[in-house]
Amino acid sequence: MYRRLLIALSLLGCASPAPAQRSQLRADDTAYELRGPEAAGYGKDHVSHNVGSLHGDQVRPQLSGEVVEVPPSIPSPVKPATLIQPIDTPPTAATESIGAFRFLCEPGQVSYDDPIVYPNQPGRSHLHQFFGNTGANASSTYRSLRTSGDSTCVNILNRSAYWMPAMLDGRGHVVRPDYVSIYYKRLPSNSAECHRQAKDCVALPRGLRFIFGYDMLTGTTPTGGSYFDCDGPTAKSGHYKTITEAAANCPAGNRLGAIVYAPGCWDGVRLDSPNHRDHMANPSYGSWGYLRCPSTHPLVVPTFTLASWYSVDAQRADSWYLSSDEMPGTERMPAGSTFHADWFGAWDDEVMAMWTADCIEALKSCNSGVLGGLRMMKPATPFVWKTPRRLVPIPPRPGQATGAGKAVATR
C-alpha cells in the first residue's frame, strides 16, 4: 500500500521553496563540531553523540500541565489564494472508506530543542530532525508558528512543526532524509462507521499538539506506532521492528524508511496533556469485534502518518541508530526501538478547512498537496527528491565545550 502511495506522489509531482530560500530550508547545512572520542563497545567506527554531554538525565521527558484553551485564529501573512494554484485533473475517489490528504516535505533544521517537552529550554532534548516550520525551536507556540518561519512542506500554508529523533550513522554524522511523506486520513463524518467507531468525526482542533510512538517515560508505545521499511530496486520491503533488521534487507542504492503513525482518537477537550499523550488514544477492536475509540476519547480526528526516507550508500545502514536510542547514563537501546515523533499543528485555518472538506469528507484521495476540486498548494520551487547534503556532522549541544572535537565542513 505504501509503495502505491509513493508511486502516486511521484506521478503527481510536488515542489518546494525557491533556490533563493534554500539556505532557510536547509538550516542545518553549516559547519558543525564532530564529536569524540570514540565510544567503547559499539565497534571501531562508532562515535557516540552523547560523549561529553553536560546534560545527563536532563534530556529525559518531563510532565507538564494541561492545555484546554483553543487559541484564536491567526491568518496567514499572505492571502491563501496566492499560494494555491489550479490543476487540470481533480483527485480520484478513495479506494478505501476513508479520505486522504498527502504531501511531501524536505528535511529542515537539526537541533536539541523540543517545544512540547521542554518549552523555553533550548538544548535540553536529544537531537531532533525537524520538518515543516523552519523557525520551530524550544520557544515555539501556536502563535509563533503561525506568524514566523518558512516551511519545508510545500509552502507556508502549512506552518505546522513535525520532528523526530535524528538518524545517526555511528560515525559522527546525522543522516538527513531525502524527503518525508505525510498523509492525513479520516472517516467522513456522515459515515455509519464513523458513528460506530466514536461519537463523531471532526477536524483537527486549532493548536493541537502531541507525541506519538515510543514513550521515553514509560518505555512502551501507548499511542500511535512505528516500523522501518526499505524501498528500491534491490530492497526487501517489510515491517521491521528495528533499523538493524531493515538495514539487513536494504543494500546500497535503496532507501530505508522510518514510518510512524499517530493516534486518531481525541478526548475533545485538551490540546495537550501532562505527558503530551493522554489527550489522544488509539482505537481498538476489543471484545466487541470492530474498531472503536475509548469512551474517554469520543472524537475521531484526521490521523497522520509520517514516513522519512533515507538514501543508503556504500557504507550501508548497519550502524545507523536514532539519537533517542543512546541516552546519557543508560545502555544503548536496539537501533530504532525508541522511534517516536512530535507534532504541533499550525495550519492555515482556511486551507485546513479545504482539505478536510474536499479530501477527507468527500472521500477523495488527494496527493501532492492537492486540496480537492481543481486546486492544490502552490509549490514554491521544484521539489528535490535527493537531499543535496545527506550527511552533516553531529552538532554540539548549546553551551558545550568544544575542545574534545574538531570543526568540520558538511558534505
Side-chain angles (χ1 to χ4, degrees):
M1 176 180 174
Y2 191 76
R3 196 180 300 275
R4 293 198 302 270
L5 167 61
L6 288 177
I7 293 172
L9 284 170
S10 63
L11 289 174
L12 286 170
C14 197
S16 67
Q21 299 173 333
R22 184 66 60 193
S23 61
Q24 288 181 304
L25 295 183
R26 305 290 183 176
D28 51 330
D29 289 354
T30 56
Y32 286 136
E33 177 197 13
L34 182 62
R35 307 293 288 281
E38 177 180 317
Y42 300 137
K44 63 182 180 66
D45 295 324
H46 177 78
V47 177
S48 170
H49 71 286
N50 278 315
V51 170
S53 171
L54 302 179
H55 297 265
D57 288 341
Q58 290 182 354
V59 296
R60 293 298 177 200
Q62 296 177 342
L63 297 176
S64 62
E66 295 182 347
V67 177
V68 297
E69 184 176 350
V70 177
S73 178
I74 300 175
S76 292
V78 297
K79 293 183 178 180
T82 65
L83 297 174
I84 295 174
Q85 68 182 30
I87 56 175
D88 297 327
T89 306
T92 59
T95 56
E96 304 173 72
S97 60
I98 54 178
F101 171 61
R102 306 177 179 91
F103 53 92
L104 295 176
C105 304
E106 293 185 9
Q109 63 272 32
V110 173
S111 81
Y112 293 97
D113 288 357
D114 189 325
I116 292 180
V117 178
Y118 291 111
N120 301 311
Q121 301 177 71
R124 289 198 63 185
S125 178
H126 48 264
L127 188 62
H128 283 120
Q129 171 69 67
F130 282 79
F131 317 102
N133 196 309
T134 59
N137 57 41
S139 300
S140 291
T141 63
Y142 176 75
R143 173 167 290 278
S144 73
L145 292 174
R146 289 293 306 131
T147 57
S148 63
D150 208 317
S151 178
T152 70
C153 299
V154 189
N155 66 42
I156 61 170
L157 294 178
N158 181 11
R159 274 178 157 167
S160 300
Y162 311 79
W163 62 99
M164 60 174 281
M167 183 73 76
L168 308 178
D169 69 354
R171 299 178 175 88
H173 300 96
V174 176
V175 184
R176 302 175 66 234
D178 285 331
Y179 61 89
V180 178
S181 66
I182 295 176
Y183 58 89
Y184 294 81
K185 290 185 175 182
R186 199 206 68 198
L187 292 163
S189 59
N190 62 359
S191 73
E193 185 59 30
C194 164
H195 295 285
R196 184 168 80 147
Q197 183 171 323
K199 181 180 179 181
D200 203 359
C201 295
V202 300
L204 288 167
R206 190 183 304 132
L208 183 67
R209 71 210 73 165
F210 53 79
I211 305 172
F212 53 106
Y214 182 85
D215 187 346
M216 301 296 290
L217 281 170
T218 66
T220 63
T221 304
T223 51
S226 66
Y227 63 95
F228 297 92
D229 197 0
C230 185
D231 183 74
T234 59
K236 183 177 180 181
S237 183
H239 280 53
Y240 302 109
K241 291 183 178 180
T242 66
I243 294 171
T244 304
E245 293 174 16
N249 296 283
C250 208
N254 300 294
R255 283 191 176 104
L256 187 145
I259 298 93
V260 60
Y261 49 93
C265 303
W266 177 43
D267 68 9
V269 177
R270 297 177 292 178
L271 303 176
D272 197 6
S273 51
N275 65 354
H276 316 294
R277 293 174 179 267
D278 285 349
H279 56 305
M280 304 297 295
N282 294 323
S284 66
Y285 287 92
S287 59
W288 43 88
Y290 61 90
L291 203 61
R292 190 172 74 185
C293 287
S295 60
T296 53
H297 295 70
L299 300 179
V300 176
V301 295
T303 184
F304 70 88
T305 297
L306 183 155
S308 189
W309 292 90
Y310 305 80
S311 286
V312 179
D313 65 6
Q315 289 190 320
R316 297 179 56 94
D318 304 72
S319 63
W320 293 7
Y321 66 103
L322 297 176
S323 62
S324 53
D325 294 336
E326 187 179 54
M327 303 292 281
T330 64
E331 292 185 6
R332 182 170 149 193
M333 300 283 285
S337 61
T338 63
F339 188 18
H340 60 283
D342 302 56
W343 176 73
F344 201 139
W347 276 95
D348 177 274
D349 282 358
E350 183 180 337
V351 172
M352 187 166 68
M354 289 180 188
W355 61 256
T356 300
D358 298 334
C359 298
I360 302 295
E361 295 285 4
L363 265 180
K364 298 295 184 180
S365 180
C366 297
N367 299 310
S368 298
V370 170
L371 298 168
L374 292 172
R375 58 193 175 184
M376 68 178 291
M377 294 172 65
K378 184 178 181 179
T381 78
F383 184 79
V384 179
W385 285 98
K386 200 172 184 67
T387 190
R389 286 191 175 98
R390 180 176 156 272
L391 298 179
V392 295
I394 295 171
R397 288 187 182 274
Q400 180 178 327
T402 59
K406 59 181 180 179
V408 296
T410 59
R411 63 185 180 90

